[in-house]
Amino acid sequence: MKAGIVGLPNVGKSTLFNCLSNAKAQSANFPFCTIEPNIGVVNVPDTRLEKLESLVNPEKVIPATVEIVDIAGLVKGASKGEGLGNQFLGNIRETDAILHVLRCFDNDNVVHVDNSVDPVRDKETIDIELQLKDLETVEKKLEKVKRAARTGNKEAQKEEAVLQQLKEGLEQGISVRAISVGEDERLTYVKPLQFITDKPVLYVCNVDEEGAASGNAYVDRVKEAVAGENAEVIFLAVGMEADITELETFEERQLFLEDMGLTEPGSAKLIRGAYKLLNLETYFTAGEKEVRAWTIPVGATAPQAAGVIHTDFEKGFIRAEVIAYTDYVQFGSESKVKEAGKMRVEGKDYTVQDGDVMHFRFNV
């Protein structure tokens, strides 16, 4: 699953990408520093994995991961191809969720493309470009559907009504994710068109060091502006996060964070936010060879979860042996969980819960 980092040029996207992935995307004080999208695979911080490691003492530990894509800065007119807009919009379309970085700090030494700091205006600039691109998509589709609807095709008439609703919403500056459409209609007519503004979004307010622990007035304005959007807002000091990643030892990083009044790097909060945004959760396998976190969509069944390990596990699924994470921690080992009668045997219809520790029985 991919989350794409978007925003205007010079808001801190590439610096944030570097913090998250420890890759070194080029980061500089001028627009369009990033042309081709950089891709990083990022570990999802999870204290449960560390706890299982301490209990099992395996040969290796493998965390869950999320793919983060650093997409070049969009500008006004991107939907018409300005600033390599079409290429960037194509890159966004390929992601599953959007991390929208907004500049929420004052610094005369960092150029702003509009020469002033206003995160709500910046958000609207990007929104308009994405909405215009989606409007183009809906108008093309509407043209075809209208022809079928005029012949009396009931299905086409139904689709036309939904597309017309989307068109009117987009023309009013409303993103597809915020347009009220029935669940069935959204699944049938909206999802297949892969609208950019239908993707879940996490607004990342890039603040200065003073705002790292509690935000600032800019962050408050962003929260107010997106209140009706069904979107998440977090804030972090991207420049400070970059400094933290340069420190060599865990102890040094912890001291730095404590001085700033923080318990963990903001990047950890962001990665977990992206994971949640993508509607993902984690189950674990735990044995002497490895303790591993596996990524599944929320609501996955036991066979689907098994299929993440290997397709044969799903095809030949017999049953799953399941231990709740809290029980594993309480009793301290798999054998003691079994003695206490807390290991469950689940079948094909079982919906995996976040944090389950699982073994699969299968036959191919």
Side-chain angles (χ1 to χ4, degrees):
M1 295 291 241
K2 280 185 192 174
I5 301 177
V6 305
L8 290 174
N10 272 13
V11 295
K13 297 184 309 304
S14 294
T15 308
L16 176 62
F17 176 81
N18 289 337
C19 296
L20 295 177
S21 65
N22 292 327
K24 293 294 174 195
Q26 192 189 0
S27 171
N29 188 14
F30 56 90
F32 305 118
C33 180
T34 308
I35 302 297
E36 289 300 321
N38 295 293
I39 298 175
V41 177
V42 183
N43 291 342
V44 178
D46 197 326
T47 53
R48 297 173 301 181
L49 195 63
E50 292 160 25
K51 184 66 182 171
L52 287 172
E53 181 186 7
S54 70
L55 294 172
V56 179
N57 196 22
E59 289 172 24
K60 59 181 176 179
V61 177
I62 304 174
T65 58
V66 172
E67 212 168 84
I68 304 286
V69 187
D70 177 23
I71 294 161
L74 284 166
V75 292
K76 210 173 282 183
S79 58
K80 303 294 176 215
E82 289 292 322
L84 303 179
N86 289 330
Q87 182 185 337
F88 303 162
L89 290 162
N91 293 334
I92 297 169
R93 200 182 291 283
E94 288 167 19
T95 65
D96 303 293
I98 293 172
L99 308 176
H100 187 160
V101 182
L102 296 166
R103 177 171 168 177
C104 293
F105 66 89
D106 295 303
N107 185 338
D108 294 339
N109 297 319
V110 179
V111 179
H112 189 292
V113 287
D114 289 324
N115 299 314
S116 63
V117 178
D118 184 343
V120 175
R121 175 204 59 206
D122 294 352
K123 170 202 160 331
E124 285 166 359
T125 298
I126 298 281
D127 281 353
I128 288 166
E129 296 309 320
L130 302 184
Q131 287 160 3
L132 286 170
K133 202 68 187 168
D134 280 351
L135 190 56
E136 203 179 282
T137 303
V138 83
E139 283 172 343
K140 277 182 191 167
K141 183 68 177 174
L142 201 48
E143 227 174 88
K144 291 177 187 171
V145 171
K146 274 181 174 171
R147 284 198 292 271
R150 280 198 292 270
T151 67
N153 182 317
K154 292 273 187 284
E155 187 63 27
Q157 287 169 354
K158 209 169 157 188
E159 185 172 5
E160 182 188 3
V162 174
L163 294 174
Q164 192 60 44
Q165 190 185 344
L166 296 182
K167 181 177 182 287
E168 287 165 14
L170 286 162
E171 284 171 342
Q172 289 164 33
I174 303 168
S175 291
V176 172
R177 78 181 76 84
I179 297 170
S180 180
V181 176
E183 202 48 52
D184 286 350
E185 286 84 354
R186 188 169 283 278
L187 220 59
T188 311
Y189 309 123
V190 182
K191 289 289 178 197
L193 293 174
Q194 290 185 298
F195 291 110
I196 299 172
T197 66
D198 194 32
K199 295 179 191 295
V201 64
L202 174 67
Y203 291 101
V204 182
C205 297
N206 182 9
V207 299
D208 52 21
E209 285 192 20
E210 286 72 37
S214 53
N216 59 25
Y218 288 131
V219 176
D220 294 339
R221 286 184 56 209
V222 171
K223 285 180 176 174
E224 202 178 307
V226 306
E229 249 194 63
N230 190 24
E232 301 284 323
V233 179
I234 67 164
F235 54 86
L236 67 158
V238 173
M240 189 188 80
E241 295 289 326
D243 292 340
I244 292 170
T245 58
E246 295 298 323
L247 297 172
E248 286 182 17
T249 68
F250 175 77
E251 287 72 23
E252 284 177 305
R253 289 195 285 272
Q254 284 304 111
L255 280 171
F256 193 116
L257 288 167
E258 283 166 24
D259 285 348
M260 300 305 302
L262 300 168
T263 54
E264 66 173 354
S267 53
K269 183 170 64 172
L270 172 59
I271 295 162
R272 281 199 301 274
Y275 201 68
K276 185 181 165 196
L277 195 66
L278 290 162
N279 204 28
L280 301 175
E281 63 184 10
T282 302
Y283 78 87
F284 301 101
T285 50
E288 285 176 13
K289 283 203 180 302
E290 68 173 34
V291 165
R292 182 165 183 164
W294 299 89
T295 299
I296 52 169
V298 171
T301 60
Q304 288 167 338
V308 173
I309 300 175
H310 197 288
T311 50
D312 284 352
F313 282 32
E314 184 171 3
K315 283 179 198 160
F317 179 89
I318 299 169
R319 65 178 184 274
E321 293 167 359
V322 183
I323 303 170
Y325 170 76
T326 48
D327 288 338
Y328 206 112
V329 171
Q330 184 186 340
F331 295 101
S333 71
E334 190 177 307
S335 56
K336 285 181 180 165
V337 169
K338 282 179 182 172
E339 281 170 29
K342 290 290 186 176
M343 179 185 274
R344 307 189 314 276
V345 175
E346 300 286 1
K348 289 183 177 180
D349 296 332
Y350 176 66
T351 300
V352 179
Q353 302 301 303
D354 187 47
D356 278 350
V357 181
M358 305 182 77
H359 286 302
F360 298 105
R361 301 294 174 199
F362 70 101
N363 182 24
V364 176

